[in-house]
Amino acid sequence: MTHISADHPVLTFINVFTVKPENQDRLVELLTSATDVSVRYAAGFISSSLHRSTDGTKVTMYAQWRSLEDYQAMRDDPKPLPYLQEALKIATFEPGMYEVVKTFEPVQA
Amino acid sequence: MTHISADHPVLTFINVFTVKPENQDRLVELLTSATDVSVRYAAGFISSSLHRSTDGTKVTMYAQWRSLEDYQAMRDDPKPLPYLQEALKIATFEPGMYEVVKTFEPVQA
């Protein structure tokens, strides 16, 4: 499970992939494989969550890292490259690196 | 705190706002106000988390709702409109509606 909180100093990556609906399942498989063979073993990896859009046109990875240095070190690992290269044949992606400003809870009426 | 899990059937909205860096703080204020005056009181609102990109060019809201019907009912509330209209004067946004496929945890070496 991923926990989002402004109290924990983590670096957050929200990467939005755009894909044709007929390729959404394959993209989910490729990003899952890339995470399972490499990312999960990387120092400083905290958590990630994979989302599929209900209209079929997007897949978004929400990932938390301890630091930019840890994230960049993972990027040097060649093991996930075959999956990521195949992913970028069927999808475009818009990366983003963030800090959490705040979280909002419901106000009970 | 927001909890992301594939085991909880929630509807997730990941809305990416693009903004000039000099307007990022103002956009964060406007989205915070819209949430505080309206969204937090809406039936079916579970949680949301506001993120600012470290390069200043994006603000992303990660929001969880019980159902599409609850989300659409909130959209009929006029109270947040002044904040959202001002936000769209300084930002563009790319909405996305998702389900969580899975979450990944670190593998301990």
Side-chain angles (χ1 to χ4, degrees):
Chain A
M1 189 184 286
T2 297
H3 305 281
I4 306 176
S5 166
D7 300 331
H8 303 162
V10 305
L11 192 61
T12 301
F13 294 84
I14 304 174
N15 293 331
V16 180
F17 294 78
T18 301
V19 67
K20 290 182 183 169
E22 61 265 34
N23 290 327
Q24 191 190 37
D25 285 349
R26 180 64 184 146
L27 180 58
V28 165
E29 288 173 0
L30 291 167
L31 296 176
T32 297
S33 294
T35 305
D36 278 336
V37 302
S38 168
V39 178
R40 294 180 62 206
Y41 294 87
F45 170 68
I46 296 170
S47 169
S48 68
S49 295
L50 194 58
H51 304 70
R52 70 167 81 235
S53 72
T54 57
D55 69 359
T57 66
K58 289 191 179 74
V59 175
T60 293
M61 182 69 90
Y62 185 103
Q64 298 174 316
W65 287 81
R66 184 175 54 191
S67 71
L68 183 57
E69 291 70 29
D70 288 318
Y71 178 78
Q72 287 174 330
M74 176 275 293
R75 294 289 298 267
D76 291 336
D77 179 2
K79 282 198 292 296
L81 287 183
Y83 304 107
L84 297 177
Q85 287 166 349
E86 187 175 339
L88 292 180
K89 288 181 185 166
I90 58 172
T92 59
F93 96 111
E94 174 81 10
M97 185 169 71
Y98 298 87
E99 61 182 22
V100 177
V101 180
K102 67 183 299 186
T103 64
F104 301 92
E105 307 291 335
V107 176
Q108 301 305 329
Chain B
M1 190 185 285
T2 297
H3 304 281
I4 306 177
S5 166
D7 300 331
H8 304 161
V10 305
L11 192 61
T12 300
F13 294 85
I14 304 174
N15 293 330
V16 179
F17 294 79
T18 301
V19 66
K20 290 182 183 169
E22 62 264 34
N23 290 327
Q24 191 190 38
D25 284 350
R26 180 64 183 146
L27 180 58
V28 164
E29 289 174 1
L30 291 167
L31 295 176
T32 297
S33 295
T35 305
D36 278 335
V37 301
S38 168
V39 177
R40 294 180 61 205
Y41 294 87
F45 170 69
I46 296 170
S47 169
S48 67
S49 295
L50 193 58
H51 304 70
R52 70 167 81 234
S53 72
T54 57
D55 68 359
T57 67
K58 291 193 178 72
V59 175
T60 293
M61 182 70 90
Y62 185 103
Q64 297 174 316
W65 287 82
R66 185 174 54 190
S67 71
L68 183 56
E69 292 69 29
D70 288 318
Y71 178 78
Q72 288 174 330
M74 176 274 294
R75 295 289 298 267
D76 291 335
D77 178 3
K79 283 198 292 295
L81 287 183
Y83 304 107
L84 297 176
Q85 286 166 351
E86 187 176 338
L88 292 180
K89 288 181 185 165
I90 58 172
T92 59
F93 97 111
E94 173 81 10
M97 186 169 70
Y98 298 87
E99 61 183 22
V100 178
V101 180
K102 66 183 299 183
T103 64
F104 301 91
E105 307 291 335
V107 176
Q108 301 305 329

